Amino acid sequence: MTTVLKLGGSVVTRKEDPETVDADALAIAADAIAGALGDRSDGPDRLVVVHGGGSFGHHHADRHGVSATAGSHDAAALSEIHGAMGELNDAVLDAFHERGVNALPVRPLSVAYRADGTGDSGTDGATDGDDHSGTDSETARLHLPTASVEAMLAEGFVPVLHGDVVTHRGRGGTILSGDEIVVSLARSLDADRLGVCSTVPGVLDANGDVIERIDSLSSVAETLGASDATDVTGGMAGKVRALLAVPTPAHVFGLSDLEAFLAGRAPGTVVGGPE
Ligand code: IP8
């Protein structure tokens, strides 16, 4: 069974404090993952983890005016955003390694790119596990080859990707969110389960209650506001939009429910999937 799990940037960092890991939250997440992999009768046998940017990526992206659609050709600025994400990725990997999780980094900037419209058929990697589906970045297509991720999984490793800057043809570099990555991976790896671990226990309605199931963005559009802190990739509405685009049902839940999700249960909100 293949499980794709996103750890929200707001979960593993203190989102209001630039470049600060939330060590306690990261420890809870790493414990849950180590526990699930140690007990494979319940847990996933193939796990891919993707983490968001939190106070590492979004802080720098905002400062340089780079978003999912607003690009930059300033390589120093893009490298700064990518470098900050590398630091966060190192911290996540350290927490995993300390608990015996066999995790390896996969850095999207080195392998992925985006291209707008239909002028680019993207045939250069089409036979190599690319996901050529549209993403929520206007009409841009994400090309994210997964051959190395597949090879890692086959060797028993846990690939750990992250939101990043990616080359965007015609725009320089733009931000690729972890949500776009999990959507792409769920499709190209034909994942059985997709989990999004957030700071809230699910997608919340106007009364603050967890919405059990979301089948369309229009049904919840008014309820979903923007993120409180700087989030260049769109907060919960962007998350739900991206998750609705994948056939695998997605589970949005809080950190305290990560263990339950990894054990095969369905905490929080289910987004999309079969009727
Ligand atoms: O937090 C964004 O990833 P997200 C990554 O999953 C950067 O939206 C570099 C801001």
Side-chain angles (χ1 to χ4, degrees), residues 6 52-54 57-58 61 81 85 163-164 175-179 231-233:
K6 174 164 182 212
H58 289 286
I81 302 166
M85 288 308 301
D164 205 351
I175 299 298
L176 173 65
S177 76
D179 296 321
D231 184 343
V232 293
T233 48

Side-chain angles (χ1 to χ4, degrees), residues 76-169:
L78 299 176
S79 298
E80 199 179 296
I81 302 166
H82 179 66
M85 288 308 301
E87 282 175 37
L88 178 55
N89 192 245
D90 284 347
V92 171
L93 286 164
D94 284 350
F96 286 1
H97 294 161
E98 279 164 21
R99 291 160 177 83
V101 176
N102 235 0
L104 286 174
V106 178
R107 310 213 51 199
L109 174 60
S110 304
V111 294
Y113 70 97
R114 269 207 275 246
D116 281 336
T118 53
D120 180 337
S121 63
T123 51
D124 49 328
T127 57
D128 196 24
D130 280 25
D131 174 38
H132 294 276
S133 57
T135 73
D136 66 352
S137 179
E138 295 180 352
T139 57
R141 294 172 113 202
L142 171 63
H143 300 255
L144 176 59
T146 52
S148 63
V149 169
E150 297 261 23
M152 286 180 189
L153 289 170
E155 289 301 307
F157 294 116
V158 176
V160 182
L161 296 84
H162 56 80
D164 205 351
V165 284
V166 284
T167 308
H168 189 141
R169 287 200 189 151

Side-chain angles (χ1 to χ4, degrees), residues 51-269:
H51 64 79
S55 65
F56 285 75
H58 289 286
H59 170 70
H60 290 283
D62 189 50
R63 210 159 53 79
H64 292 295
V66 182
S67 72
T69 52
S72 168
H73 283 87
D74 181 345
L78 299 176
S79 298
E80 199 179 296
I81 302 166
H82 179 66
M85 288 308 301
E87 282 175 37
L88 178 55
N89 192 245
D90 284 347
V92 171
L93 286 164
D94 284 350
F96 286 1
H97 294 161
E98 279 164 21
R99 291 160 177 83
V101 176
N102 235 0
L104 286 174
V106 178
R107 310 213 51 199
L109 174 60
S110 304
V111 294
Y113 70 97
R114 269 207 275 246
D116 281 336
T118 53
D120 180 337
S121 63
T123 51
D124 49 328
T127 57
D128 196 24
D130 280 25
D131 174 38
H132 294 276
S133 57
T135 73
D136 66 352
S137 179
E138 295 180 352
T139 57
R141 294 172 113 202
L142 171 63
H143 300 255
L144 176 59
T146 52
S148 63
V149 169
E150 297 261 23
M152 286 180 189
L153 289 170
E155 289 301 307
F157 294 116
V158 176
V160 182
L161 296 84
H162 56 80
D164 205 351
V165 284
V166 284
T167 308
H168 189 141
R169 287 200 189 151
R171 301 190 194 196
T174 53
I175 299 298
L176 173 65
S177 76
D179 296 321
E180 286 177 84
I181 296 173
V182 294
V183 163
S184 175
L185 288 177
R187 218 185 250 119
S188 48
L189 298 175
D190 197 16
D192 302 286
R193 306 196 79 219
L194 170 53
V196 177
C197 180
S198 169
T199 47
V200 283
V203 183
L204 305 181
D205 67 15
N207 300 320
D209 296 324
V210 173
I211 302 170
E212 225 167 85
R213 181 166 187 96
I214 297 175
D215 291 312
S216 72
L217 191 61
S218 58
S219 65
V220 289
E222 276 183 29
T223 313
L224 304 182
S227 166
D228 298 328
T230 304
D231 184 343
V232 293
T233 48
M236 191 57 92
K239 201 183 294 297
V240 169
R241 187 186 300 113
L243 295 176
L244 281 167
V246 69
T248 312
H251 301 264
V252 180
F253 51 84
L255 183 57
S256 59
D257 280 325
L258 177 55
E259 202 178 323
F261 169 74
L262 290 171
R265 297 197 284 280
T269 303

